[in-house]
């Protein structure tokens, strides 16, 4: 049985980073993954350009049952720390919007950078290797893999969440937690498009492909970004963001054109050209099909000059306080992240080690820490991996 200091399961964002940090400290590291290639989610992230961090990442951008747990790791490995690494490798980058940093070129550069860091740290990597059993024994673990038995002093679980099973996502981390009596916070799909009931879907079908600025609110949380109508329902950054806070059965309040006082604009338009139809007037502010959709929904016809101001105000309200009850989400099939996971109460916030199982660590998305859309999830992967990589 080959002996390692550290066995890391999962060569995604967190696993690669943890292996690089631990290897860099001179630890003998084995990194295994059941997939054919490492870092597959990095490769497809950010439309192929990887939104690798967010310069504004802070506690407010994360969701967890314990809103303090992630502060320590995030403050000890910051967006600037990751950016320094990116710059050391000469990878060109740009800030797209809202503090989101992307590669100018391909996301592949981030994978290559992490692989090079692993190589420099002498990390051994085995792909297409599955873990069949993890047994605790004196001074470490004995792990049966499809490639043979391995002994390790520390085991780091970095197998991510359930999102996108087609790409090899599994609930492996949760199974390991269950085996060692570690509590889980219920998991659900996050950063995911909403689906709609058949009637609403049929009504918005002609709008598929239209994007519009919006503010979407669910309870006390609100996001102001774009909303996109799709063939299946609602998507776009504002929808993905709010989906992480939405619970089945809840209604969301959508304010289209949040920067415009639409009621005032419609009344001005009525005074300026009383003979135009409500749809024509509305089309000054919204894409034509969307303008038609809302005027038909409101039942307003004829010339705007013949309509009472009250009718135009309620037309504006139907657009700026549009209440939608999603029938569900697209689920793990398209979700960018998995909410919930390993209960942080079971982990050290300094090292990510399980409090009751010495030598067992959980990092990245499998932990009950989920970021907003915009580079925050990778920053959590890097920071939690760095914390564990320093400790193993
Ligand atoms: P990750 O999923 O990266 O890695 C887990 C690894 O474990 C995988 O390599 C998998 O094959 C392996 N594995 C799973 N089960 C296993 C098992 N049983 N045995 C062995 N290996 C196993 N975030 C962000 O900040 N900016 C962005 O631009 C994007 N973009 C984006 C696009 C899309 C389409 C998705 C789906 C997600 C994003 N994200 C993102 C989210 C981001 O990808 C995610 O939060 C991180 O990849 C999580 O890193 P982990 O290392 O925890 O899991």
């Amino acid at each position: 049985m080959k002996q390692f200091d550290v066995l890391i399961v999962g060569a995604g964002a967190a696993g690669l980073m943890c292996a690089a940090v631990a290897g860099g400290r001179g630890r003998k590291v084995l990194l295994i993954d059941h997939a054919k290639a490492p870092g597959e989610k990095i490769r497809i992230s950010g439309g192929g350009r990887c939104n690798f961090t967010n310069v504004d990442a802070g506690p407010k951008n994360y969701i967890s049952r314990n809103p303090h747990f992630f502060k320590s790791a995030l403050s000890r490995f910051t967006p600037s720390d990751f950016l320094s690494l990116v710059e050391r490798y000469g990878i060109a980058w740009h800030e797209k919007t809202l503090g989101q940093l992307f590669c100018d070129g391909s996301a592949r550069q981030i994978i290559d950078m992490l692989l090079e860091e692993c190589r420099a740290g002498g990390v051994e990597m085995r792909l297409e290797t599955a873990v069949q059993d993890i047994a605790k024994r004196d001074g470490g673990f004995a792990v049966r893999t499809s490639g043979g038995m391995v002994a390790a002093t520390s085991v780091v679980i970095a197998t991510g969440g359930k999102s996108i099973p087609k790409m090899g996502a599994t609930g492996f981390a949760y199974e390991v937690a269950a085996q060692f009596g570690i509590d889980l916070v219920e998991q659900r799909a996050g950063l995911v498009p909403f689906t709609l009931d058949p009637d609403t879907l049929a009504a918005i079908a002609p709008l598929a492909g239209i994007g519009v600025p919006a503010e979407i609110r669910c309870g006390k949380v609100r996001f102001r970004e774009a909303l996109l109508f799709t063939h299946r329902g609602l998507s776009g950054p504002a929808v993905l963001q709010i989906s992480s806070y939405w619970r089945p059965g809840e209604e969301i309040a959508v304010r289209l054109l949040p920067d415009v006082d639409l009621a005032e604009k419609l009344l001005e338009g009525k005074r300026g050209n009383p003979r135009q139809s409500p749809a024509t007037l509305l089309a000054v502010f919204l894409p034509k099909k969307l303008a038609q959709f809302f005027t038909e929904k409101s039942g307003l016809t004829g010339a705007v000059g013949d309509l009472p101001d009250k009718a135009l105000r309620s037309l504006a309200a139907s657009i700026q306080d549009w209440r939608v009850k999603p029938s569900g989400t697209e689920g793990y099939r398209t979700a960018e992240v998995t909410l919930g996971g390993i209960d942080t109460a079971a982990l050290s916030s300094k090292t990510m080690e399980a409090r009751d199982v010495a030598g067992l660590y959980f990092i990245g998305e499998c932990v009950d820490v989920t970021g907003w859309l915009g580079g925050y999830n990778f920053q959590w992967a890097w920071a939690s991996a760095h914390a564990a990589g320093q400790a193993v």
Side-chain angles (χ1 to χ4, degrees):
M1 185 169 0
K2 202 167 168 188
Q3 174 76 40
F4 291 87
D5 294 324
V6 190
L7 166 66
I8 301 172
V9 189
L16 285 165
M17 180 59 134
C18 185
V21 173
R25 287 174 49 236
R27 309 296 280 156
K28 190 173 176 200
V29 180
L30 174 64
L31 175 61
I32 68 174
D33 200 297
H34 66 172
K36 279 199 177 84
E40 279 294 271
K41 276 195 185 161
I42 301 177
R43 185 179 59 79
I44 61 155
S45 67
R49 291 188 195 276
C50 187
N51 178 193
F52 55 80
T53 192
N54 191 301
V55 286
D56 299 323
K60 65 177 189 313
N61 310 112
Y62 292 89
I63 304 166
S64 170
R65 187 185 272 174
N66 176 356
H68 304 292
F69 176 82
F70 38 78
K71 290 181 180 169
S72 169
L74 288 171
S75 69
R76 283 178 294 124
F77 189 82
T78 64
S80 331
D81 291 325
F82 192 76
L83 191 55
S84 303
L85 185 60
V86 167
E87 294 196 321
R88 188 144 52 79
Y89 276 79
I91 299 172
W93 58 274
H94 62 279
E95 179 176 337
K96 195 171 171 192
T97 174
L98 302 168
Q100 302 167 4
L101 305 193
F102 285 75
C103 298
D104 287 358
S106 159
R108 182 77 233 173
Q109 293 172 288
I110 299 292
I111 303 174
D112 290 344
M113 172 188 85
L114 293 167
L115 287 175
E116 177 51 30
E117 287 288 292
C118 285
R119 200 202 53 74
V123 173
E124 180 177 333
M125 184 158 65
R126 293 185 197 161
L127 297 170
E128 296 183 89
T129 302
V131 172
Q132 287 147 350
D133 181 59
I134 302 178
K136 182 102 177 83
R137 55 173 208 180
D138 273 356
F141 299 83
V143 179
R144 186 152 48 85
T145 77
S146 54
M149 288 299 289
V150 173
T153 313
S154 303
V155 170
V156 182
I157 306 297
T159 47
K162 296 181 190 171
S163 312
I164 325 246
K166 244 189 181 170
M167 293 191 68
T170 65
F172 180 76
Y174 317 128
E175 290 162 26
V176 176
Q179 180 194 334
F180 287 97
I182 292 170
D183 285 343
L184 293 172
V185 174
E186 188 197 348
Q187 300 99 58
R188 59 200 168 88
L191 300 180
V192 63
F194 284 134
T195 53
L196 299 169
D197 66 75
D199 288 348
T200 315
L201 194 59
I204 69 153
L207 308 178
I210 294 177
V212 65
E215 182 179 274
I216 307 187
R217 185 171 57 77
C218 182
K220 288 187 181 137
V221 184
R222 59 185 77 214
F223 287 96
R224 196 178 270 216
E225 282 182 71
L227 173 148
L228 179 69
F229 292 88
T230 74
H231 290 291
R232 291 197 197 88
L234 300 176
S235 188
V239 169
L240 300 186
Q241 297 280 34
I242 209 74
S243 73
S244 294
Y245 291 87
W246 175 84
R247 298 286 181 157
E250 282 181 341
E251 190 178 72
I252 55 168
V254 180
R255 182 176 174 84
L256 298 182
L257 307 176
D259 297 321
V260 177
D261 182 344
L262 194 58
E264 213 36 58
K265 291 286 179 197
L266 294 184
L267 294 179
E268 257 173 42
K270 169 182 164 177
R271 287 191 291 274
N273 179 2
R275 291 170 61 175
Q276 64 185 323
S277 71
T280 307
L281 170 55
L282 204 50
V284 174
F285 308 100
L286 285 174
K288 203 171 157 196
K289 283 183 182 168
L290 205 49
Q292 268 166 357
F293 169 77
F294 280 107
T295 35
E296 276 166 25
K297 201 160 154 284
S298 69
L300 297 182
T301 52
V304 283
D306 298 332
L307 296 172
D309 286 1
K310 207 174 133 198
L312 291 178
R313 281 189 204 285
S314 76
L315 174 61
S318 74
I319 294 161
Q320 297 206 302
D321 189 16
W322 180 31
R323 300 301 172 112
V324 184
K325 202 174 199 178
S327 60
T329 72
E330 290 186 8
Y332 292 121
R333 190 178 62 78
T334 61
E336 284 202 12
V337 286
T338 302
L339 290 145
I342 311 299
D343 189 347
T344 58
L347 305 180
S348 152
S349 61
K350 241 185 136 188
T351 63
M352 306 294 136
E353 185 177 16
R355 290 186 188 284
D356 296 333
V357 190
L360 181 64
Y361 297 74
F362 293 88
I363 57 172
E365 193 180 321
C366 68
V367 179
D368 172 35
V369 174
T370 306
W372 290 0
L373 183 80
Y376 302 101
N377 283 298
F378 279 139
Q379 187 56 38
W380 168 247
W382 316 136
S384 58
H386 191 267
Q390 292 283 348
V392 286

